[in-house]
Amino acid sequence: MTQTTEAGAATEDTRPGKPIKKHRIHRAWFVAAVTFVTIIGAAAFRSLPGLLIDPLHQEFGWSRGTIGAAVSVNLALYGLTAPFAAALMDRFGIRRVVAVALSVIALGAGLTVWMTAAWQLMLCWGLLVGLGSGSMALAFAATVTNRWFTERRGLVTGILTAASASGQLIFLPVLSWIVEKHSWRPAAVTVSLAALAVVPFVWLLLRDHPADVGQKPYGATEFVPKPAPVQGAARRTIKVLLSASRTGTFWLLAGTFAICGASTNGLIQTHFVPAAHDHGMPVTAAASLLAVIGVFDVVGTIASGWFTDRFEPRRLLAVYYALRGVSLLFLPMLLAPSVHPPMLFFIVFYGLDWVATVPPTVALCREQYGEDSAIVFGWVLASHQVGAALVAFLGGVARDAFGSYDMVWYASGALCAVAALMALVIRRRPVGVGAVAVA
């Protein structure tokens, strides 16, 4: 009996009952491709909040702080749901969890069409879309990478992380045009339909584990049996948190990633468009700049994955955060009614650095926490979204109070400098938490 290797060559397989598989390309790459497309399709909901602030303020008279609060609920739940989603994927499988999550996103986005009160925005966009998006957050990419790959993990993590930016590139210009020409409701429906359209691909093409198709993980030297479903997903998630929280590394990772979320999703993604509009820039032009960030985000994240396979992750994080902080300090001087070369330089620079922090952060979680790394990263991601939620809310409050976003840019730049220092303090040696987190 034969077995397929990573390169596709057939080798002798003496294990009885194993199927013959002959693939020129390892199945892991097909699973990664489906995951990439899934994250792209779901990225529509990530593109819309910044486009909703001004239309909702004008139609309903809600303050920017109120709208920002709904966005902050969405971002916080996105993060807080992620670690439980990673455990649920161990219990029920990746396909089921992601398919249900996409359906919840579609429901929440669709229901916003009929809302008339701010609490309904909190319920639909904050609660439902937040829960659905959190269930297929970056922990989804980490779980797929950990199960299907033992080699090229940094590169694959970078590619899957870049999928969200690719979705932003696709959807931001489209949604901004829809909002400007046809109001915000058709844009919300577009988000709902995009999430629903991905469900069949997930159900038909995604597989939970290499053993489901009789293959080893990519780069593995031995066949890895599929583990039994893990009971008590919520209990396991909490136990992993309690175990990891006893280590200083966890708090440093969580702190740096909270600042990462504050300076990306909470700040630029939520407030860049209204801030640029304050300076006279058309909404479509500002949204297009965010889409350009998405273009270079893809390049930067994949490159960061390649760097992570070759360089010390701590130092990469320090460099990324330091450069991000410097760029934010210059942003208030660059905002203007039209797009000019210095602004384009900022957009390219920020795009390259946007989520370049993810591959080294995932690598550090894997190094420090072993088999529980996906769940630990889920909790670290929760801190990312808590940071994003705070700035999404406080940024709106600051705009209402001071009439501009300048103080928000400066404060975020200073926080990034703190994150750079925190990254350098992370200890290099593994702490062995993954071996004792759960029984």
Side-chain angles (χ1 to χ4, degrees):
M1 185 172 292
T2 59
Q3 181 185 11
T4 304
T5 66
E6 296 79 30
T11 59
E12 187 66 23
D13 182 9
T14 59
R15 299 187 311 278
K18 291 298 176 186
I20 298 176
K21 298 290 180 183
K22 295 181 179 180
H23 296 289
R24 290 182 180 275
I25 301 176
H26 195 283
R27 181 63 177 267
W29 294 108
F30 291 102
V31 172
V34 173
T35 304
F36 186 89
V37 172
T38 301
I39 297 174
I40 285 179
F45 66 85
R46 300 285 301 279
S47 304
L48 193 56
L51 303 177
L52 290 179
I53 293 177
D54 285 338
L56 293 180
H57 174 70
Q58 293 169 6
E59 179 170 338
F60 297 107
W62 301 336
S63 71
R64 291 176 176 83
T66 298
I67 300 168
V71 177
S72 71
V73 170
N74 176 293
L75 293 172
L77 285 176
Y78 176 90
L80 294 173
T81 306
F84 294 95
L88 286 172
M89 289 177 187
D90 288 341
R91 174 66 178 88
F92 297 105
I94 298 173
R95 284 197 305 170
R96 293 179 181 177
V97 173
V98 174
V100 170
L102 287 167
S103 300
V104 172
I105 290 170
L107 176 65
L111 288 176
T112 58
V113 173
W114 292 284
M115 68 181 179
T116 56
W119 68 265
Q120 294 168 343
L121 178 64
M122 295 278 190
L123 174 64
C124 296
W125 201 263
L127 179 62
L128 292 179
V129 176
L131 288 174
S133 60
S135 297
M136 53 171 302
L138 291 175
F140 170 38
T143 300
V144 169
T145 303
N146 289 347
R147 289 188 183 185
W148 282 88
F149 293 86
T150 58
E151 293 182 356
R152 309 294 185 188
R153 279 177 167 174
L155 176 63
V156 174
T157 301
I159 292 173
L160 295 182
T161 303
S164 181
S166 300
Q168 177 176 291
L169 167 64
I170 294 170
F171 286 107
L172 253 177
V174 175
L175 292 176
S176 65
W177 180 83
I178 293 174
V179 169
E180 186 172 58
K181 299 296 183 182
H182 303 286
S183 186
W184 61 270
R185 287 182 176 84
V189 172
T190 301
V191 170
S192 179
L193 294 178
L196 279 179
V198 181
V199 174
F201 291 95
V202 170
W203 194 255
L204 295 175
L205 300 177
L206 195 62
R207 292 295 179 267
D208 293 329
H209 196 276
D212 290 340
V213 292
Q215 287 193 308
K216 299 178 293 183
Y218 179 84
T221 57
E222 297 180 357
F223 184 84
V224 179
K226 183 177 181 178
V230 179
Q231 302 292 330
R235 179 174 60 87
R236 181 188 178 208
T237 302
I238 297 299
K239 289 182 69 175
V240 169
L241 171 63
L242 293 176
S243 181
S245 64
R246 298 189 185 103
T247 67
T249 297
F250 173 80
W251 293 108
L252 289 169
L253 288 171
T256 56
F257 224 43
I259 294 173
C260 177
S263 56
T264 53
N265 301 72
L267 182 65
I268 297 296
Q269 191 168 57
T270 303
H271 294 293
F272 179 80
V273 171
H277 190 55
D278 284 346
H279 287 76
M281 185 181 295
V283 171
T284 50
S288 297
L289 289 177
L290 278 185
V292 174
I293 285 181
V295 174
F296 289 94
D297 186 6
V298 174
V299 178
T301 308
I302 295 175
S304 179
W306 187 86
F307 290 144
T308 301
D309 287 333
R310 291 160 175 80
F311 300 104
E312 171 58 46
R314 298 176 311 130
R315 295 180 180 178
L316 289 176
L317 285 179
V319 170
Y320 295 157
Y321 286 122
L323 293 176
R324 182 182 300 179
V326 171
S327 66
L328 284 173
L329 295 178
F330 284 96
L331 181 57
M333 296 178 283
L334 302 179
L335 291 170
S338 60
V339 179
H340 47 83
M343 173 58 78
L344 289 176
F345 180 80
F346 169 85
I347 293 297
V348 171
F349 188 87
Y350 213 81
L352 292 172
D353 193 52
W354 183 270
V355 286
T357 55
V358 173
T361 301
V362 171
L364 287 169
C365 287
R366 187 183 303 120
E367 172 191 288
Q368 301 286 336
Y369 303 106
E371 293 181 357
D372 293 325
S373 62
I375 297 177
V376 173
F377 177 69
W379 283 114
V380 172
L381 178 62
S383 71
H384 180 282
Q385 295 308 116
V386 170
L390 285 173
V391 172
F393 171 65
L394 294 176
V397 172
R399 170 60 179 80
D400 289 333
F402 301 111
S404 76
Y405 285 99
D406 288 356
M407 291 300 299
V408 182
W409 307 130
Y410 295 137
S412 297
L415 283 175
C416 288
V418 174
L421 295 175
M422 292 172 66
L424 292 175
V425 178
I426 296 173
R427 298 175 64 182
R428 295 187 61 182
R429 68 179 183 84
V431 296
V433 173
V436 298
V438 291

